[in-house]
Amino acid sequence: MKMDFATATFKNFENIEGHDMYDRAAVFGDFLQYMQDNGHMNYRLQNFSGCGPEMRVKTSIHQAGFDYVSFVSNDYLGFTQHPKVKAAAIQGIIDFGTGAGASPLIGGHFSYHEILEEKIASFFKRSKDSSVIYTTGYTANSATLMSLLQKEDLAIVDMAVHSSVYEGCILTNTKTFLHNHMESLERILKAARAQYRTKLVIVDGVYSQDGDLAPLREIVGLARQYGAYVMVDDAHGIGVLGATGRGALEQSDLLHEVDLISGTFSKTFGNIGGYVIANPDLINFLKFQSRQQIFSATSTPAAAGVIKAIELIDEEPQWQLKLWENINYFKKGLLDIGIDTGTTESAIIPVKIGDPHKTGDAGKLLLKAGIYTNPILYPAVAKKDARIRMSLMATHTREQLDKALSAFEFVNQKLDIAGQSV
């Protein structure tokens, strides 16, 4: 089979007719080499330093590593490098070792897990609710939905939700509504009103590619009108949005108005893991019925750092304020160049280009200018909606932001990326 690599995407290699797993992998290897040869391989680059506004990265341009201004980390408040968070994680390892040693059900549930579950539940100020933690934020969504929704139920999902939600819905019925389109959602709710045992509307608080927000007030209102429940994954909103960093739900004054909140410890909280907040009966059900709880070990003792990070949201609110100074400054700088940043209202800033090949070229030129970013192509976004996706951090300096803006101005002069956006 002859494939046109110039127009191919990762999705083209999920299945190739007549090719067994080795043949398919070999063709995909040729495609990766094609990307490398064209300077478009901005993926799985080797980092020699921790998350931060500047990272030492090995690239095709700098094989020995080079210090790039980085916009690839979702460590929005810089807590992966916060001395108090690191000290707490180190103390957790000193006290408990490096791993849990078993699944929570049969010996792998420790006092730090109990503290973390209590801490994240109380963080959302839902006094009657409990939480369950998972190894990753991805698993928090997929495992929860697999356990709660079966063939008699219905998941109603925004088309732009995270892939973990789609995976979690494989055992149930799924209907998808147009992104943030309330008429589309209402049509589904109205048609499904008397057909299913459980109807659960699932949305993100902040969407990971465009950085835009769900219209949560309208969503909750419609769900209640038609007898549905609501689950919000606010992985990208916590620490960023809301008067006290409680995310999109706090910003919409809806912290107590949804049925399930899910999120991750891998972004604002500077570690790894996921959580779900809900009614205690639902949480107990998940602790004993979710396969990923029964058969998988959970957080390592380094999760003690997460406990400290949760506390720091309130103890050091200056990080959220500094983050928004950076967001507003950088976004204005891009708009002044004429670049399309879409509908973002968060720390995620997309540079919308449209043409996938030009997006790859933009990523290459940015690397040459010392800026580390992620070109995002289909199937992560629509084929005509390719973009450079960036995450802003509270710890970016003004000099670093200015260097990136200068680089984008240069890229725009070379490639006319402002004129390419669709």
Side-chain angles (χ1 to χ4, degrees):
M1 173 186 176
K2 184 68 175 176
M3 185 176 293
D4 181 7
F5 287 164
T7 60
T9 69
F10 287 158
K11 192 168 183 63
N12 291 100
F13 303 92
E14 289 180 0
N15 190 22
I16 305 175
E17 186 176 353
H19 287 56
D20 71 7
M21 60 183 184
Y22 285 105
D23 294 337
R24 203 162 73 247
V27 175
F28 183 61
D30 292 339
F31 174 64
L32 292 182
Q33 187 60 55
Y34 170 85
M35 293 182 67
Q36 182 73 33
D37 293 343
N38 283 272
H40 290 183
M41 195 60 184
N42 285 43
Y43 312 103
R44 291 190 67 88
L45 299 180
Q46 186 178 165
N47 303 314
F48 296 102
S49 59
C51 292
E54 187 172 275
M55 297 174 66
R56 178 160 285 268
V57 187
K58 177 182 178 181
T59 67
S60 58
I61 304 167
H62 298 284
Q63 291 288 324
F66 182 79
D67 291 333
Y68 289 86
V69 177
S70 173
F71 294 90
V72 303
S73 170
N74 297 315
D75 180 20
Y76 298 122
L77 302 184
F79 282 179
T80 64
Q81 307 303 323
H82 195 294
K84 293 179 181 179
V85 174
K86 291 198 283 188
I90 291 167
Q91 189 62 51
I93 292 172
I94 291 172
D95 292 342
F96 291 94
T98 59
S103 72
L105 202 63
I106 56 168
H109 185 67
F110 291 86
S111 57
Y112 66 86
H113 292 126
E114 194 77 16
I115 295 169
L116 180 54
E117 287 179 341
E118 292 173 358
K119 183 74 72 172
I120 192 61
S122 64
F123 176 77
F124 287 96
K125 301 179 180 178
R126 290 164 61 111
S127 58
K128 296 181 180 179
D129 282 0
S130 303
S131 79
V132 58
I133 58 174
Y134 287 93
T135 310
T136 67
Y138 189 104
T139 307
N141 281 338
S142 62
T144 294
L145 293 168
M146 282 182 190
S147 297
L148 297 182
L149 302 179
Q150 302 297 320
K151 58 183 175 57
E152 299 90 349
D153 306 314
L154 175 66
I156 305 171
V157 302
D158 187 295
M159 65 183 298
V161 294
H162 194 266
S163 61
S164 57
V165 170
Y166 284 107
E167 181 173 301
C169 295
I170 60 174
L171 300 179
T172 193
N173 304 285
T174 304
K175 292 188 182 296
T176 303
F177 62 94
L178 298 174
H179 178 50
N180 280 349
H181 195 287
M182 295 301 96
E183 290 181 8
S184 176
L185 171 60
E186 186 170 16
R187 281 196 297 270
I188 294 171
L189 285 166
K190 188 179 294 186
R193 180 160 30 186
Q195 293 186 43
Y196 299 94
R197 180 179 61 184
T198 298
K199 298 175 288 294
L200 180 62
V201 178
I202 309 161
V203 298
D204 290 358
V206 177
Y207 286 92
S208 63
Q209 293 304 330
D210 279 333
D212 58 337
L213 311 186
L216 292 174
R217 284 212 152 271
E218 294 91 332
I219 289 167
V220 170
L222 285 171
R224 296 294 178 253
Q225 180 180 344
Y226 292 99
Y229 303 113
V230 178
M231 176 177 177
V232 177
D233 172 5
D234 204 20
H236 292 278
I238 301 304
V240 179
L241 300 174
T244 66
R246 266 68 178 177
L249 285 166
E250 181 184 36
Q251 184 157 300
S252 301
D253 195 24
L254 292 169
L255 274 175
H256 301 92
E257 304 301 323
V258 300
D259 300 283
L260 298 103
I261 301 172
S262 67
T264 182
F265 298 129
S266 66
K267 295 177 175 56
T268 290
F269 296 125
N271 202 289
I272 191 169
Y275 57 86
V276 176
I277 316 293
N279 169 286
D281 289 339
L282 286 180
I283 295 300
N284 282 331
F285 181 85
L286 291 171
K287 288 177 179 178
F288 287 87
Q289 294 294 330
S290 169
R291 295 176 186 175
Q292 292 82 348
Q293 277 285 308
I294 299 170
F295 299 112
S296 177
T298 185
S299 304
T300 72
V306 179
I307 297 168
K308 188 60 195 175
I310 295 171
E311 295 171 350
L312 285 173
I313 298 289
D314 291 327
E315 292 174 0
E316 299 185 2
Q318 68 267 26
W319 299 113
Q320 185 183 3
L321 296 174
K322 182 63 167 65
L323 173 64
W324 275 100
E325 287 180 14
N326 285 346
I327 292 169
N328 293 329
Y329 179 81
F330 192 66
K331 184 177 176 181
K332 180 182 184 302
L334 291 172
L335 293 174
D336 286 346
I337 297 169
I339 285 174
D340 181 5
T341 61
T343 54
T344 181
E345 297 180 66
S346 68
I348 298 165
I349 299 185
V351 168
K352 307 192 89 174
I353 298 174
D355 179 82
H357 191 81
K358 189 162 284 194
T359 301
D361 285 344
K364 177 172 63 175
L365 289 176
L366 287 168
L367 276 182
K368 287 183 177 179
I371 309 299
Y372 183 21
T373 62
N374 289 141
I376 304 295
L377 312 172
Y378 181 80
V381 295
K383 289 183 177 179
K384 294 183 179 180
D385 202 20
R387 80 279 302 275
I388 300 291
R389 178 192 184 276
M390 291 172 293
S391 294
L392 270 288
M393 298 177 64
T395 47
H396 277 118
T397 66
R398 187 61 56 89
E399 291 75 20
Q400 289 166 337
L401 297 180
D402 285 340
K403 180 176 180 180
L405 290 171
S406 295
F408 272 105
E409 190 166 19
F410 171 76
V411 171
N412 190 39
Q413 290 169 356
K414 289 287 185 181
L415 300 177
D416 188 25
I417 58 174
Q420 279 290 314
S421 58
V422 292

